[in-house]
């Protein structure tokens, strides 16, 4: 028995050592130097382990492994400094939230402040307001903009399929905009922000407000390397360039999109073999992705007749799920679009920024020579984070410009 146990331990050690070596030396792009490799390494390492525990061993679904892995490394808040900020857990319209409120510096100071509603990333299937990286970002925004920051703990797929995430976030925004003073927030001084899937939610809610002629209730939005469409994972230039060697690879992206839309991995292979892209290339929705680079894509030349589940098609073309596919983006609030150049999502971010500009929306596009989720480095002590700090500085400057202009 002892010998068998030792064999298992040695085998596990060998597997983990091999994965560390593989992720540290093989797939990370040479464009990333030094500690810039840390987060891509963690994502790649997690993805490899997820495939073992799910695809190979059948122990746990990969999305559950993602949640456990990132929660395990993202909920140590002992090193966070929230000077001048009071942090409370609360509930708005039945949705759990974490509120970051600047303390009054002196008696009689103005009680009401601007408000920012923040949506975390995680592909709509993982992530939490309790992750250190998001707590850190919300603290810094609250400190440097003197605003009340409300971080939303929306329900996650696949247990709660779309549109649950949109509905949760919309409910919070709707309540805060209707009753701002209840939360110590100034009337008509509310902005939205989110990273990755959180950026998707922020953009979708802004479009929904515009559709209801409520544009004036939002003064701005910060879309941080946002996910904006779910109909292509092959032909947009950034998918072709950055699917290997950076943070989000082709397989991981396809898996996350499949789980977010169908609740399982059934559509993953349809994404990977190009069937999703082929299908939508023959629909009016492709006009929002059609640029010269996509016409050179191999699947573009394939004339095969593809069919996809109608429920899947309905979901991925809903503007609440794929804001880039909205017929109009007019009425969106002034926007800061932060794009990571080495990110599979970069192309759709640039396309969305161009659409906003063409619709007359004041839009600032900032492109950083780094990878997806780079702002999360702000919560990691003792590493060089100049790009992450610059990203936060740009966020704060933009928010101050729309809060206090």
């Amino acid at each position: 028995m002892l010998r068998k146990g030792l064999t298992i331990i040695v085998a596990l050690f060998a597997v983990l050592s091999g994965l560390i070596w593989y992720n540290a030396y093989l797939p990370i792009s040479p464009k990333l130097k030094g500690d810039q490799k840390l987060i891509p390494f963690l994502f790649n390492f997690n993805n490899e382990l997820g495939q073992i525990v799910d695809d190979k061993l059948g122990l746990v679904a990969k999305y559950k492994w993602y949640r456990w892995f990132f929660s395990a490394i993202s909920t140590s808040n002992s090193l966070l400094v929230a000077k001048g900020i009071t942090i409370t857990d609360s509930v708005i319209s039945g949705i759990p939230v974490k509120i970051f409120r600047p303390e009054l510096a002196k008696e009689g100071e103005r009680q009401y402040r601007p408000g920012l509603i923040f949506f975390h990333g995680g592909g709509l299937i993982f992530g939490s307001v309790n992750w250190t990286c998001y707590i850190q970002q919300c603290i810094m925004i609250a400190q440097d903009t003197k605003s009340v920051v409300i971080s939303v703990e929306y329900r996650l797929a696949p247990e709660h399929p779309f549109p649950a995430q949109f509905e949760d976030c919309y409910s919070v925004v709707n309540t805060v905009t209707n009753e701002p003073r209840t939360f110590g927030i100034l009337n008509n001084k509310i902005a939205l922000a989110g990273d990755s899937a959180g950026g998707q939610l922020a953009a979708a809610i802004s479009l929904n407000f515009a559709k209801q002629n409520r544009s004036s209730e939002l003064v701005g939005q910060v879309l941080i390397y946002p996910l904006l469409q779910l109909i292509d994972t092959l032909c947009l230039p950034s998918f072709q360039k950055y699917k290997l060697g950076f943070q989000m690879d082709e397989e991981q992206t396809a898996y996350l999109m499949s789980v977010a839309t169908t609740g399982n991995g059934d559509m993953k292979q349809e994404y990977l073999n190009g069937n999703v892209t082929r299908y939508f290339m023959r629909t009016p929705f492709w006009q929002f992705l059609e640029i010269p680079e996509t016409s050179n894509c191999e699947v573009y030349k394939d004339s095969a007749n593809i069919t996809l589940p109608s429920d899947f098609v309905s979901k991925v073309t809903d503007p609440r799920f794929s804001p880039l596919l909205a017929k109009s983006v007019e009425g969106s609030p002034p926007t800061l679009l932060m794009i990571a150049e080495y990110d599979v999502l970069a192309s759709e971010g640039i396309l969305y920024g161009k659409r906003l500009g063409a619709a007359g929306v004041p839009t600032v596009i900032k492109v950083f020579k780094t990878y997806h989720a780079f702002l999360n480095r702000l919560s990691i002590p003792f590493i060089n984070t100049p790009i992450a700090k610059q990203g936060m500085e740009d966020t704060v400057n933009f928010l101050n410009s729309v809060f206090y202009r």
Side-chain angles (χ1 to χ4, degrees):
M1 181 65 71
L2 178 61
R3 186 173 181 178
K4 185 177 180 180
L6 287 173
T7 301
I8 293 173
I9 291 172
V10 170
L12 288 173
F13 178 78
V15 169
L16 290 175
S17 298
L19 285 173
I20 291 173
W21 179 85
Y22 174 80
N23 281 278
Y25 294 101
L26 288 183
I28 306 300
S29 169
K31 289 186 177 182
L32 302 179
K33 308 295 183 182
D35 57 27
Q36 267 212 334
K37 296 180 178 181
L38 179 59
I39 290 181
F41 161 73
L42 288 173
F43 266 72
N44 289 336
F45 184 48
N46 172 58
N47 193 41
E48 296 291 334
L49 288 177
Q51 291 188 48
I52 290 174
V53 299
D54 186 0
D55 301 340
K56 307 295 185 187
L57 302 178
L59 296 176
V60 63
K62 194 184 298 183
Y63 73 88
K64 291 183 178 179
W65 172 264
Y66 284 174
R67 290 178 186 173
W68 179 86
F69 180 89
F70 285 117
S71 294
I73 65 175
S74 302
T75 53
S76 176
N77 303 325
S78 59
L79 295 176
L80 291 176
V81 178
K83 184 178 180 180
I85 303 297
T86 299
I87 304 174
T88 56
D89 292 309
S90 187
V91 175
I92 298 176
S93 297
I95 313 302
V97 298
K98 192 176 289 287
I99 301 177
F100 303 78
R101 189 182 305 278
E103 298 167 359
L104 296 178
K106 55 186 177 182
E107 190 174 345
E109 184 179 356
R110 194 172 188 174
Q111 182 178 357
Y112 299 105
R113 302 175 181 275
L116 176 76
I117 304 174
F118 183 88
F119 313 116
H120 66 76
L124 303 178
I125 69 172
F126 58 94
S128 171
V129 299
N130 295 313
W131 283 16
T132 307
C133 54
Y134 294 122
I135 293 176
Q136 179 68 73
Q137 291 170 46
C138 290
I139 288 172
M140 296 174 76
I141 291 171
Q143 286 174 330
D144 294 340
T145 66
K146 304 302 180 187
S147 65
V148 176
V149 179
I150 300 173
S151 186
V152 183
E153 185 82 319
Y154 56 83
R155 289 171 292 172
L156 299 174
E159 295 90 342
H160 305 284
F162 170 82
Q165 299 77 37
F166 173 88
E167 290 173 345
D168 287 358
C169 294
Y170 179 84
S171 293
V172 172
V173 176
N174 187 53
T175 299
V176 175
T177 52
N178 284 333
E179 311 166 24
R181 289 183 171 253
T182 302
F183 307 98
I185 294 174
L186 290 166
N187 291 319
N188 299 321
K189 288 292 182 182
I190 297 168
L192 308 181
D195 73 315
S196 195
Q200 171 199 44
L201 290 164
I205 292 170
S206 293
L207 290 176
N208 202 271
F209 265 56
K211 189 176 181 180
Q212 298 178 59
N213 296 315
R214 298 176 65 186
S215 298
S216 61
E217 297 179 42
L218 299 174
V219 296
Q221 63 177 353
V222 181
L223 310 181
I224 306 167
Y225 29 83
L227 167 66
L228 296 166
Q229 60 83 32
L230 290 94
I231 67 172
D232 174 61
T233 60
L234 293 177
C235 287
L236 283 173
S238 58
F239 277 106
Q240 296 183 51
K241 292 179 183 177
Y242 305 122
K243 62 185 179 182
L244 291 175
F246 297 93
Q247 182 159 342
M248 292 173 60
D249 66 18
E250 188 177 25
E251 183 167 312
Q252 187 179 47
T253 304
Y255 173 77
L256 292 176
M257 287 186 172
S258 178
V259 174
T261 52
T262 65
N264 53 53
D266 290 353
M267 293 302 295
K268 172 185 169 182
Q269 198 56 44
E270 298 296 319
Y271 276 113
L272 291 175
N273 64 21
N275 283 344
V276 174
T277 298
R278 288 186 185 94
Y279 178 90
F280 284 106
M281 279 179 170
R282 293 161 177 79
T283 71
F285 296 105
W286 194 254
Q287 64 182 300
F288 302 117
L289 278 68
E290 195 163 19
I291 55 178
E293 291 88 342
T294 57
S295 64
N296 296 325
C297 185
E298 284 301 313
V299 299
Y300 199 88
K301 303 168 187 176
D302 191 334
S303 59
N305 186 27
I306 304 297
T307 59
L308 297 174
S310 58
D311 183 57
F312 171 81
V313 172
S314 176
K315 282 185 178 182
V316 297
T317 56
D318 190 320
R320 296 173 300 169
F321 209 41
S322 293
L324 182 59
L325 307 186
K327 291 181 179 178
S328 172
V329 297
E330 290 184 13
S332 295
T335 301
L336 170 63
L337 236 169
M338 293 173 54
I339 295 169
E341 182 178 335
Y342 310 143
D343 181 3
V344 292
L345 305 182
S347 293
E348 58 204 67
I350 291 171
L351 286 171
Y352 198 67
K354 289 180 177 178
R355 284 196 69 193
L356 290 171
V361 177
T363 304
V364 178
I365 301 176
K366 296 276 188 175
V367 180
F368 298 82
K369 286 188 174 296
T370 188
Y371 49 76
H372 190 79
F374 67 91
L375 277 190
N376 291 356
R377 298 180 71 195
L378 291 167
S379 63
I380 304 174
F382 314 121
I383 68 170
N384 184 24
T385 60
I387 293 181
K389 289 178 180 176
Q390 183 61 57
M392 180 53 65
E393 183 178 327
D394 289 339
T395 298
V396 166
N397 289 342
F398 173 82
L399 290 172
N400 281 331
S401 75
V402 297
F403 284 154
Y404 301 110
R405 63 186 175 189

